[in-house]
Amino acid sequence: MTTIPFWRRKKIRRQVLQGAFLAAIAAILIIGATTAQRNLSAQGISSGFGFLWRATGWEMGTSLLRTSPGDPYWWFIFNGILNTLLMGFVGLFCATLLGLVIGLARSSKNAPARLLGTIYIEIFRNIPLIVQLFFWYAVVTQLPNPRNAIQIGHVMLTGRGLHFPGLNVTVLSAVVAIAIMIAALFVILWIAVARRFGRVESARRRLLGLGVLVTGILGAAVALSWGRIPETPLVSLPELRGLNIRGGFQLRPEIYALAFAITVYGAAYIGEIVRGGFKSVGRGQVEAAQALGLSPWRVFSRVRMPLAVRAMLPILINQYVWLIKATTLGIAVGFSDFFMVIAGSITHSGQTLELIGILMAGFLIINFSLAAVLNRVNRAIALKGKQIGVAQ
Amino acid sequence: MTDLSIHAPDPSQRLWRRLRSEYFASPLGSILTLVCVAILGLLIWWVLDWALFRATFEADARAAECRANGGACWAVIANRWRLIMFGIYPYDEQWRSALACVIVIATVVLSCLPRMWGIIRLAAIWLFAALAFYILMKGGALGLSRVSEEQWGGLALTLFLFVSTVVIGMPLAVMLALMRRSEMPVIARVTGLFIDAIRSLPLLAILFTFAVVLPFVLPAMLTGEKLYRVIVGLAIFFAAYQAEIIRGGLQGTASGQEEAAKALGIPYRYRISRIVLPQAFRLALPATINQIVITFMETSLVVVVGFVELLAAGNAAYNTGEWKFAYVEVYVFISAIYFTFVFGLSRYGAYLERRMNVGRR
């Protein structure tokens, strides 16, 4: 029996190789951790997550809920996550709407409309997002000062922000009210499209939707009246007092500059995805629908659109995940999102490793849940089996 | 009397018919056409009026003069283009920076030619370009004075970041892709975890980690200049995405090829480098070019960790003194530079895709 020397046996070689690989990674991690530990103790910082309950001592800039320098780190981080989610939601929503318009223009039969869509996409897709963001930020901050504000009705636009009438309620109750309304809209949408409600007759379905809507409005009204700030009028209008505008609701320039940049840039990509989706709908399907005598709107809404959405959704999921991550660019113009709060906390508290860990975990969770929800939708609406051949 | 011209309609009639079917097919279509044409016309007139008719071109024009004209103030570009292109590189040495840019651009163009595709050829020209760039920019050899990395800036820095990211990231991506599909479960799992973690983080978080956090975590002897740390961060980010693209190419390559090579007893390294990878790269080429284009745009993010690349230099160009109002011109200029590169590269990618599809049919 010939014996192979043990280092040439495949199994052993593989195990040694994997062991060495793991050892190398462990070595890197240990070196990193001990160096960080040494640097931390040199600065007199203890490791662990205890710092999360300490007061931050700095201002947060923009936040949905009230923050003050006396608030603990975890509260700031929570608000940062809220800001990221809000910006992501607004960005995704607006970019999808605009992208749909652009994509439709690009795939329309009308040549001038196609040309406009092409110009839009080529311009906004080929310039880095941060260049566009800086540009829009320069545009909004160089608007006139409050004295010469651009005024349309009670809405005032100045270099320091957009002022519009607001309700004198606490932010928390406003958020709760908006959340109730969004939930109600989703439930109505669900009732309208879900297969489960397909068997319920349409009159009862409509009644059910109306009921949900009324409940939603009532719930929102209750939330608003519960959070009303006492001894103030319900609606507060922005007005010029001295050198500044008081009252009303102020939206800071970095917020809408960022939202605008993300919308415009994201729409260019989504527009291309939409066009691809419509292109993938077989021409035969459309022609068949036309031959059956469906009206152009029905051909679009019952045949082209559903098939296109099915083809688009997988790519859209990637784009959405990307757009959520793009909100971190807000740091360049001073929007306190999740990333900016973490970066600020690192410079102020020195708890580098813990905060980077929180950052990674946060983005993993956000991305993963977004992808999970959308993948579920994708599976739910995907055509089962070989029902239909969507041309690739 | 029979009219023979019915069978051969004159061209003007054909044009009219085409116009009607494409532009005025239905009332709604006609309205859409009119609205779009109006928007297009307004856009074109507005841009021309601003950028040409009412613009100020004289390099020595003052800001007040520009404002009086009302159009674009190209004087700010004429005055500040050296800052935008070269940052704070020593003024008398800026020819070196310019030459370095030309070398990089020439190398990019050269490597777009199909006849240059081959690992050895590509590696050779890129190695030469990298060396030439580094010696020109850094100096300290061939009688050139030394310029520290902190003074690099403008377009030269943007190009440097882009090229080094791709040159370092590409081999890294191949390695990660091969490791991820390794038969050794530990290596495959850990690599997969690493790639997914990097991909789920925003690039800014990675740049921040490498620029600010790394010196804190690594022993002093392992932390280099901030510029090189940031490049490593960019390269790792690029590699994580590119690895998935290459993995897609590897999966698309018929597995019989590799099995046949294995049966012939060809060793792993030749199997991979001569048989599997070339095919995988061919399949992955369009996506790769797309990723490279995106990487070029993403290098502009380093402005956030404090580098004076093209964008930051542009910000500095209009933010000083009397030019504060002329931000549009500066951003148009920067955008035009980015646009030229990105549009060129993506058009090239589209051309390649067409070419390869034709070849396979």
Side-chain angles (χ1 to χ4, degrees):
Chain A
M1 193 176 113
T2 53
T3 50
I4 311 168
F6 70 91
W7 63 86
R8 297 195 56 177
R9 246 184 280 165
K10 206 168 181 179
K11 203 173 156 191
I12 289 184
R13 212 173 49 186
R14 279 188 176 172
Q15 266 161 7
V16 169
L17 215 61
Q18 298 190 50
F21 182 71
L22 277 185
I25 289 173
I28 293 171
L29 289 180
I30 289 169
I31 289 175
T34 50
T35 320
Q37 207 65 261
R38 202 181 311 129
N39 285 336
L40 282 173
S41 59
Q43 291 174 19
I45 297 166
S46 59
S47 59
F49 288 91
F51 76 97
L52 284 174
W53 281 267
R54 280 209 317 262
T56 56
W58 40 284
E59 293 276 349
M60 189 164 146
T62 337
S63 63
L64 269 179
L65 308 175
R66 208 168 295 278
T67 55
S68 71
D71 286 331
Y73 276 98
W74 69 264
W75 180 246
F76 270 45
I77 293 172
F78 175 71
N79 272 286
I81 293 176
L82 275 191
N83 276 350
T84 290
L85 289 180
L86 177 78
M87 185 55 72
F89 183 75
V90 171
L92 294 188
F93 185 74
C94 299
T96 307
L97 282 189
L98 188 58
L100 197 60
V101 173
I102 303 292
L104 283 176
R106 280 270 276 171
S107 48
S108 104
K109 267 185 269 174
N110 191 294
R114 267 200 321 264
L115 182 61
L116 266 183
T118 309
I119 291 175
Y120 179 93
I121 283 181
E122 292 299 356
I123 286 182
F124 290 110
R125 213 172 52 147
N126 291 334
I127 297 169
L129 176 55
I130 194 166
V131 177
Q132 297 185 29
L133 174 61
F134 272 119
F135 174 75
W136 296 120
Y137 190 59
V139 169
V140 294
T141 50
Q142 298 220 5
L143 288 170
N145 58 17
R147 267 178 184 286
N148 311 313
I150 303 165
Q151 197 165 3
I152 307 159
H154 283 292
V155 180
M156 294 167 141
L157 188 59
T158 73
R160 290 188 214 159
L162 180 68
H163 304 258
F164 49 85
L167 296 172
N168 270 327
V169 294
T170 57
V171 182
L172 185 66
S173 71
V175 170
V176 170
I178 293 170
I180 289 175
M181 286 308 294
I182 290 175
L185 285 182
F186 268 109
V187 171
I188 290 169
L189 205 69
W190 183 54
I191 290 171
V193 297
R195 294 210 177 97
R196 187 173 307 181
F197 291 91
R199 289 203 207 106
V200 183
E201 55 183 296
S202 67
R204 283 190 64 183
R205 234 186 321 171
R206 220 166 287 153
L207 203 68
L208 201 62
L210 204 68
V212 172
L213 188 69
V214 170
T215 321
I217 292 174
L218 278 180
V222 167
L224 284 178
S225 60
W226 159 68
R228 189 170 162 195
I229 299 164
E231 287 160 37
T232 49
L234 182 62
V235 181
S236 96
L237 300 172
E239 51 191 329
L240 187 67
R241 273 197 220 133
L243 287 172
N244 217 336
I245 292 172
R246 315 226 167 253
F249 188 76
Q250 185 197 8
L251 211 54
R252 299 180 35 151
E254 64 264 14
I255 298 179
Y256 53 85
L258 180 61
F260 196 73
I262 288 180
T263 301
V264 167
Y265 186 75
Y269 279 88
I270 292 176
E272 279 300 78
I273 296 172
V274 169
R275 187 175 75 115
F278 277 104
K279 224 170 126 184
S280 75
V281 177
R283 200 200 283 173
Q285 316 248 349
V286 177
E287 282 168 356
Q290 281 164 347
L292 284 174
L294 296 186
S295 69
W297 168 249
R298 290 217 148 183
V299 173
F300 176 78
S301 66
R302 299 291 162 86
V303 180
R304 285 184 71 200
M305 191 71 189
L307 287 172
V309 166
R310 287 184 170 112
M312 278 172 335
L313 209 60
I315 324 171
L316 265 184
I317 295 170
N318 271 335
Q319 195 60 35
Y320 282 163
V321 168
W322 187 90
L323 275 175
I324 289 265
K325 285 190 284 178
T327 57
T328 53
L329 283 191
I331 197 176
V333 291
F335 176 66
S336 3
D337 68 338
F338 184 29
F339 176 59
M340 188 168 172
V341 172
I342 293 283
S345 302
I346 287 178
T347 41
H348 282 92
S349 74
Q351 305 283 1
T352 317
L353 293 183
E354 295 86 348
L355 284 162
I356 289 284
I358 292 175
L359 179 75
M360 286 185 66
F363 270 108
L364 266 176
I365 291 171
I366 294 174
N367 291 344
F368 186 74
S369 16
L370 181 69
V373 168
L374 289 171
N375 279 327
R376 221 195 128 93
V377 173
N378 190 28
R379 269 202 305 279
I381 66 167
L383 297 168
K384 311 289 185 290
K386 285 191 172 175
Q387 245 172 309
I388 202 170
V390 175
Q392 288 304 311
Chain B
M1 213 179 113
T2 50
D3 187 358
L4 288 172
S5 68
I6 278 179
H7 301 287
D10 64 314
S12 70
Q13 223 177 358
R14 213 162 51 200
L15 184 73
W16 169 240
R17 210 170 290 161
R18 225 191 94 198
L19 265 178
R20 216 174 51 182
S21 72
E22 273 186 24
Y23 296 80
F24 303 105
S26 64
L28 207 68
S30 311
I31 294 172
L32 187 64
T33 303
L34 290 180
V35 169
C36 289
V37 168
I39 295 176
L40 271 173
L42 267 179
L43 260 181
I44 293 170
W45 166 249
W46 192 60
V47 167
L48 282 182
D49 184 50
W50 177 80
L52 287 181
F53 303 152
R54 286 194 295 148
T56 314
F57 289 98
E58 293 81 20
D60 50 353
R62 306 311 310 167
E65 225 176 298
C66 286
R67 289 204 118 155
N69 285 345
C73 180
W74 299 119
V76 62
I77 307 295
N79 273 316
R80 298 286 166 86
W81 68 273
R82 288 184 73 146
L83 173 62
I84 300 176
M85 299 301 266
F86 308 119
I88 50 168
Y89 206 80
Y91 196 81
D92 293 327
E93 306 286 331
Q94 283 178 359
W95 63 271
R96 281 160 53 182
S97 198
L99 190 59
C101 288
V102 170
I103 288 179
V104 170
I105 294 168
T107 315
V108 170
V109 171
L110 210 60
S111 47
C112 281
L113 302 175
R115 71 161 61 165
M116 296 306 292
W117 296 347
I119 291 180
I120 294 175
R121 271 185 205 181
L122 277 179
I125 59 168
W126 279 106
L127 205 65
F128 169 77
L131 212 64
F133 186 95
Y134 188 75
I135 290 173
L136 272 171
M137 290 294 284
K138 178 93 182 177
L142 308 174
L144 298 169
S145 61
R146 273 188 101 80
V147 179
S148 87
E149 280 89 348
E150 281 150 29
Q151 286 172 295
W152 297 10
L155 181 62
L157 183 61
T158 292
L159 287 175
F160 179 64
L161 286 167
F162 164 59
V163 164
S164 3
T165 300
V166 175
V167 169
I168 299 171
M170 199 59 92
L172 206 60
V174 173
M175 211 175 76
L176 283 177
L178 291 177
M179 278 163 78
R180 185 161 199 178
R181 67 193 277 283
S182 156
E183 287 165 1
M184 290 175 262
V186 174
I187 294 183
R189 291 267 170 78
V190 172
T191 313
L193 206 67
F194 177 74
I195 292 177
D196 287 343
I198 297 284
R199 277 160 53 96
S200 74
L201 278 178
L203 176 56
L204 268 186
I206 289 175
L207 288 180
F208 181 77
T209 306
F210 276 81
V212 180
V213 178
L214 214 55
F216 194 76
V217 179
L218 278 185
M221 60 179 195
L222 284 179
T223 52
E225 284 268 340
K226 189 167 148 196
L227 178 63
Y228 300 121
R229 288 203 307 271
V230 163
I231 286 176
V232 172
L234 279 167
I236 287 179
F237 190 75
F238 171 78
Y241 281 82
Q242 181 60 27
E244 290 294 284
I245 293 172
I246 295 176
R247 191 167 71 114
L250 288 171
Q251 275 170 359
T253 311
S255 60
Q257 301 268 344
E258 196 179 356
E259 281 156 18
K262 210 171 183 177
L264 286 173
I266 298 173
Y268 179 78
R269 59 174 183 279
Y270 292 118
R271 220 154 66 210
I272 291 295
S273 67
R274 302 281 161 81
I275 295 165
V276 181
L277 269 184
Q279 297 186 57
F281 256 101
R282 206 185 122 95
L283 280 180
L285 198 59
T288 301
I289 293 204
N290 195 21
Q291 190 58 41
I292 288 176
V293 166
I294 289 172
T295 302
F296 181 67
M297 291 207 275
E298 276 171 344
T299 55
S300 57
L301 292 183
V302 298
V303 63
V304 174
V305 287
F307 286 99
V308 192
E309 42 69 82
L310 195 51
L311 176 60
N315 283 340
Y318 81 83
N319 254 325
T320 43
E322 54 177 355
W323 299 110
K324 211 155 167 63
F325 70 96
Y327 61 93
V328 180
E329 289 82 348
V330 173
Y331 285 124
V332 166
F333 183 66
I334 296 172
S335 302
I337 295 178
Y338 273 111
F339 185 88
T340 315
F341 282 96
V342 173
F343 188 74
L345 275 175
S346 56
R347 268 306 102 108
Y348 170 72
Y351 153 77
L352 275 186
E353 205 167 342
R354 264 201 320 277
R355 194 182 112 119
M356 283 167 37
N357 273 341
V358 168
R360 255 195 303 157
R361 255 176 218 159

